[in-house]
């Protein structure tokens, strides 16, 4: 999926809608849960043969990060769906559906392959009207939407594989062909303290070293 360039006012309007529905504590809990889940997944996969380490790590990330995401949602009253095999886990905060997905750095079209994700995003049709200047027309202001917490992982020898390089809050359009809003979690969290208008951060965010080492149960390894 490509990212739709938009004026800062449109980005701020979407961010304001998200913040009005999602308490900051939920975002913080999800951030921690995804980091710890990724670390546990790497610990579980470490030592596998290099021929299928990447597949094993991807599968372990799905299960461990799903469990962490589920716990974070449940602990904050966000009504998580049951854990069940490869099924997606989603929750709700206000009128917003919360989901998650993993991807590699620079690869932003992976989520569209899921039929369930595309179905969840059908309610995002009003967000597009947000960007077309229709926000203040009767009946066009969004009453619900689906967002994803996207964990971006590095790939290849020498990369830090046990934790995401970054986590983003992202809002796709209804057919998941492009992202209407996409922002590093650090920037999004800053909006809670400084209002919805924040200065664009052009530096690729990386998780703090102290966070990356949390619950560290592993050494170095290649995917």
């Amino acid at each position: 999926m490509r990212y739709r360039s938009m004026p800062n006012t449109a980005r701020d309007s979407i961010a304001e809608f998200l913040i009005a529905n999602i308490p900051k504590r939920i975002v913080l809990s999800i951030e921690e849960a995804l980091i710890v889940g990724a670390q546990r997944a790497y610990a579980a996969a470490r030592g596998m043969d290099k021929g299928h380490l990447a597949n094993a790590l991807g599968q372990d990330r799905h299960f461990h990060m799903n469990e962490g995401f589920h716990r974070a949602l449940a602990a904050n009253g966000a009504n998580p769906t049951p854990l069940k095999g490869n099924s997606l886990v989603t929750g709700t905060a206000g009128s917003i559906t919360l989901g998650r997905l993993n991807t590699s750095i620079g690869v932003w079209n992976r989520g569209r392959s899921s039929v369930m994700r595309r179905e969840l995003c059908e309610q995002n049709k009003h967000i597009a009207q947000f960007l077309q200047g229709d926000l203040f027309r009767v009946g066009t202001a969004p009453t619900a939407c689906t967002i994803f917490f996207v964990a971006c992982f590095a790939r290849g020898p020498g990369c830090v594989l046990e934790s995401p390089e970054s986590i983003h809050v992202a809002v796709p359009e209804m057919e998941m062909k492009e992202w209407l809003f996409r922002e590093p979690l650090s920037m999004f969290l800053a909006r809670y303290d400084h209002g919805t208008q924040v200065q664009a951060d052009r530096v690729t965010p990386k998780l703090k070293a102290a966070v990356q080492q949390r619950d560290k149960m592993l050494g170095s390894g290649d995917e």
Side-chain angles (χ1 to χ4, degrees), residues 166-185:
S166 61
I167 301 174
H168 289 68
V169 174
V171 180
E173 56 88 40
M174 63 178 295
E175 295 181 352
M176 294 196 76
K177 292 181 179 179
E178 60 184 4
W179 297 102
L180 303 178
F181 177 89
R182 194 177 76 198
E183 191 164 86
L185 205 58

Side-chain angles (χ1 to χ4, degrees), residues 12 17 26 32 43 60-61 72 81 102 127 135 154 170-171 177:
D12 291 339
F17 176 62
I26 293 182
E32 181 175 10
D60 285 337
R61 281 173 179 164
T81 55
N102 295 340
I127 295 292
L135 175 59
V171 180
K177 292 181 179 179

Side-chain angles (χ1 to χ4, degrees), residues 85-160:
N86 290 323
S87 297
L88 302 180
V89 173
T90 63
T92 56
S95 61
I96 294 179
T97 299
L98 311 174
R100 69 158 205 92
L101 63 90
N102 295 340
T103 192
S104 299
I105 293 175
V107 180
W108 283 92
N109 61 351
R110 187 164 292 172
R112 193 170 186 271
S113 62
S114 167
V115 174
M116 183 177 177
R117 286 195 182 101
R118 295 201 304 271
E119 290 175 349
L120 288 172
C121 290
E122 289 178 0
Q123 63 181 344
N124 286 5
K125 59 183 177 182
H126 292 304
I127 295 292
Q129 294 172 333
F130 237 17
L131 308 181
Q132 295 168 1
D134 295 336
L135 175 59
F136 298 106
R137 291 185 186 176
V138 175
T140 61
T143 57
C145 80
T146 295
I147 74 166
F148 293 98
F149 291 86
V150 184
C152 302
F153 290 89
R155 293 176 62 89
C159 294
V160 177

